Amino acid sequence: MRTDSSPGTLPAREHLPAATAGTPVLDVVIPVYNEEKDLQPCVQRLHDHLTRTFPYSFRITIADNASTDTTPVVAQRLEARIPEVKNFRLEQKGRGRALRTVWSASDAPILAYMDVDLSTDLNALLPLVAPLISGHSDLAIGSRLARSSRVVRGPKREFISRAYNLILRGSLQARFSDAQCGFKAIRRDVAQILLPLVEDTGWFFDTEMLVLAERAGLRIHEVPVDWVDDPNSTVHIVKTATDDLKGVWRVGRALATGSLSLDRLTRPFGDDPRDRDIMDVPKGLARQLVGFCVVGGLSTLFYLLLYTVFRQFGGSQVANALALLVSAVANTAANRRLTFGVRGRGGAVKHQAQGLVVFGIGLALTSGSLFALNTATSSPAHSTELAVLIAANLAATVLRFLLFRVWVFSDRREGDEPTSGVTAAPRASAPAPGTSFPHASSPTYPTGAPQTGAPQAGGPSAPLPQRHVVHPHDHDTTTQFRAGEAADGSWRDATMQMLPVRRPHDTDPGDAR
């Protein structure tokens, strides 16, 4: 799991303003591997649909992942015949690698991809990208599992898909409904910061991206789709499922141990109103209360179980002290991670030491209650002891929450800077013209001559160009740059700011199935 700091922070989401410019608004990537039969009808159908229905300029990028048949020839022929089609060949397989490479180099403010078989009805494309154009959402996904979706596929793939999404919900607490549908879109400014954190280069790329986006507080828009299974799909279900489960384990372990510091992503990623300072409204109080109650309930059960075990080998005071000590350590650790959102090991010893002071107060309350009970009754029943301890623990719990909030974890309340974690690196400046990065298989985009004061494409003030006619005699100077480095994780040193182009000619990276 990558833990390197992101290249910068995101501005607030804004509707992309409509204006005339040369940069395509939408870049649709089609990853292909040995798709010589399906590629041409797919691209033609998609191009016809976008020409008829999409109100802004667009680009279709064929991402060829090391195909061994005539797919590259078909892609080159389509590029030569259709101005809006670009072709890029990647010499390494991996859909995730291709998408990251293409999206990292694209100058379009909205980036999307779809499978070459076009199983998803294209009428869902505009609803998919509209929330991103408007600034309402950061990512958008097609969902075959939404109630209003209409899906035609066999029972085997239906079972696998639903089982996989249940695993994601149970293990990674994912709230999105369909991680595997090959129909997704993302804002370019979000992709620049999010993609360097995604490690997978294959089919798990989508899931990892969505999980990290959701944990970082990004808004994911779901579109119900009509979907018809392709019986000739070349996807190897068993291998893909195995790799996905390995990815789930890797991401879950990274999130559980705090090795991926997402705290630093939450506030930079957003204009979330919950991050704003509001007078007289405690930040995160409701969520912290819920988390504390859940942890407290489980801790009480754990404490009672320990007390019952220790009571078999000693007196009530000794059993109470030992049970309370063990449960207090576990309670502090659980509240630190789940209630107050502290990740990583920084400050853990300090928090445990302060938690032990809180434990001492709880011990005094419960021990005092037992002392009072033993004074009143020489041989109290075990059930009576438990009842007294429960009442004393309720009082100690209220006090514990207040002490945790105002003292132990006061430096990690929502809205404050994280006590542990890496500070985000400043955004790298755009590479000089002609700068190339080491890996050869990278897309190149022609860019127009820079104009003074022109807004950067994809930024919050970038214009939203209408589709326009390309004149074949327009001769623009071109600046070549490479983004293959992005596929290997050196994003932070090569963040690219794209200038508007006069014509929609680009060569994008690709991925294979």
Coordinates of all heavy atoms in Angstrom, one line a residue, residues 42 56 114 129 134 194 209-210 218 237-238 288 327 336 343 361 412 427-428 433 460 484 491:
C42 N -17.3 -1.1 -31.4 CA -17.4 -0.5 -30.1 C -17.1 1.0 -30.3 O -17.9 1.9 -29.8 CB -16.5 -1.1 -29.1 SG -16.2 -0.1 -27.6
Y56 N -20.7 18.6 -25.2 CA -19.4 19.2 -25.2 C -18.3 18.4 -25.9 O -18.6 17.3 -26.4 CB -18.9 19.3 -23.7 CG -19.9 20.0 -22.8 CD1 -20.6 19.3 -21.8 CD2 -20.1 21.4 -23.0 CE1 -21.5 20.0 -21.0 CE2 -21.0 22.1 -22.2 CZ -21.8 21.3 -21.2 OH -22.7 22.0 -20.4
M114 N -14.8 2.6 -20.0 CA -15.8 1.6 -20.1 C -15.2 0.4 -20.8 O -14.2 0.5 -21.5 CB -17.0 2.1 -20.9 CG -16.7 2.6 -22.3 SD -18.2 3.2 -23.1 CE -18.6 4.6 -22.1
V129 N -21.4 11.3 -16.0 CA -20.5 12.4 -15.9 C -21.1 13.7 -15.5 O -20.4 14.6 -15.1 CB -19.7 12.5 -17.3 CG1 -19.0 11.3 -17.7 CG2 -20.7 13.0 -18.4
S134 N -20.9 19.2 -12.9 CA -21.6 20.2 -12.1 C -20.9 20.5 -10.8 O -21.2 21.5 -10.1 CB -23.0 19.7 -11.8 OG -23.0 18.6 -10.9
L194 N -5.6 11.3 -5.9 CA -6.0 10.0 -5.4 C -5.2 8.8 -6.1 O -4.8 7.9 -5.4 CB -7.5 9.8 -5.7 CG -8.1 8.4 -5.3 CD1 -7.9 8.2 -3.8 CD2 -9.6 8.4 -5.7
M209 N -9.4 2.0 -5.6 CA -9.6 3.5 -5.8 C -10.9 3.9 -5.1 O -10.9 5.0 -4.4 CB -9.7 3.8 -7.3 CG -10.0 5.2 -7.6 SD -10.1 5.6 -9.4 CE -11.7 4.7 -9.8
L210 N -11.9 3.1 -5.2 CA -13.2 3.5 -4.6 C -13.1 3.4 -3.0 O -13.7 4.3 -2.4 CB -14.3 2.6 -5.1 CG -14.7 2.7 -6.5 CD1 -15.7 1.7 -7.0 CD2 -15.3 4.1 -6.8
L218 N -14.6 11.4 0.0 CA -15.0 11.9 -1.4 C -16.4 11.4 -1.6 O -16.9 10.4 -1.1 CB -14.1 11.4 -2.4 CG -12.6 11.9 -2.4 CD1 -11.9 11.4 -3.6 CD2 -12.5 13.4 -2.2
I237 N -12.4 -15.5 -14.5 CA -13.1 -15.2 -13.3 C -12.4 -15.7 -12.1 O -12.2 -15.0 -11.1 CB -14.5 -15.9 -13.4 CG1 -15.3 -15.2 -14.5 CG2 -15.2 -15.7 -12.1 CD1 -16.7 -15.8 -14.7
V238 N -11.8 -16.9 -12.1 CA -11.2 -17.5 -10.9 C -9.9 -16.7 -10.6 O -9.8 -16.3 -9.4 CB -10.8 -19.0 -11.2 CG1 -10.0 -19.5 -10.0 CG2 -12.1 -19.8 -11.4
Q288 N -18.9 10.6 17.6 CA -18.0 10.1 18.7 C -18.8 9.5 19.8 O -18.4 8.5 20.3 CB -17.2 11.3 19.3 CG -16.1 11.8 18.3 CD -15.3 13.0 18.9 OE1 -15.6 13.4 20.0 NE2 -14.3 13.4 18.2
S327 N -9.3 -4.6 30.3 CA -10.3 -4.0 29.5 C -10.0 -2.5 29.2 O -10.4 -2.0 28.1 CB -11.7 -4.2 30.1 OG -11.8 -3.6 31.4
R336 N -9.3 5.1 20.6 CA -8.3 5.9 19.9 C -8.5 5.7 18.4 O -8.5 6.7 17.6 CB -6.9 5.4 20.3 CG -5.8 6.1 19.6 CD -4.5 5.6 20.2 NE -3.3 6.3 19.7 CZ -2.7 6.1 18.6 NH1 -3.0 5.0 17.9 NH2 -1.7 6.8 18.2
R343 N -5.0 7.3 13.7 CA -4.4 6.2 13.0 C -2.8 6.3 13.2 O -2.3 7.3 13.4 CB -4.7 6.2 11.6 CG -6.2 6.0 11.3 CD -6.6 6.1 9.9 NE -8.0 5.8 9.6 CZ -9.0 6.7 9.7 NH1 -8.7 8.0 10.1 NH2 -10.2 6.4 9.5
I361 N -9.4 6.3 37.8 CA -10.6 6.9 38.3 C -11.8 5.9 38.3 O -12.6 5.7 39.2 CB -11.0 8.1 37.5 CG1 -9.9 9.2 37.6 CG2 -12.3 8.7 37.9 CD1 -10.0 10.4 36.7
R412 N -7.0 15.6 18.8 CA -7.4 15.0 17.5 C -8.9 15.1 17.3 O -9.5 14.2 16.7 CB -7.0 13.5 17.5 CG -5.7 13.2 16.8 CD -5.7 13.7 15.4 NE -6.4 12.9 14.5 CZ -7.4 13.3 13.7 NH1 -7.8 14.5 13.7 NH2 -8.0 12.4 12.9
R427 N 2.2 20.9 -4.3 CA 2.0 20.5 -5.7 C 3.3 20.9 -6.5 O 3.8 21.9 -6.4 CB 0.8 21.3 -6.3 CG 0.5 20.8 -7.7 CD -0.6 21.6 -8.2 NE -1.8 21.4 -7.4 CZ -2.6 20.3 -7.6 NH1 -2.4 19.4 -8.5 NH2 -3.7 20.2 -6.9
A428 N 3.7 19.8 -7.2 CA 4.9 20.0 -8.0 C 4.6 20.9 -9.2 O 3.4 20.9 -9.7 CB 5.4 18.7 -8.5
P433 N 8.7 22.0 -21.1 CA 8.5 21.3 -22.4 C 9.7 20.4 -22.8 O 10.8 20.8 -22.6 CB 8.3 22.5 -23.4 CG 7.9 23.7 -22.5 CD 8.6 23.4 -21.2
P460 N -10.3 24.5 -11.2 CA -11.7 24.9 -10.8 C -12.2 26.0 -11.7 O -13.4 26.2 -11.8 CB -11.4 25.5 -9.4 CG -10.0 25.7 -9.3 CD -9.3 24.8 -10.2
G484 N 4.6 8.0 -18.2 CA 4.7 6.6 -17.8 C 5.2 6.5 -16.4 O 5.0 5.5 -15.7
W491 N 4.6 9.8 -9.0 CA 3.6 10.8 -9.3 C 4.0 12.2 -8.7 O 3.9 13.2 -9.3 CB 2.3 10.4 -8.7 CG 1.3 10.1 -9.7 CD1 1.1 8.9 -10.3 CD2 0.3 10.9 -10.3 NE1 0.0 8.9 -11.2 CE2 -0.4 10.2 -11.2 CE3 0.0 12.3 -10.1 CZ2 -1.5 10.7 -11.9 CZ3 -1.0 12.8 -10.8 CH2 -1.7 12.1 -11.7

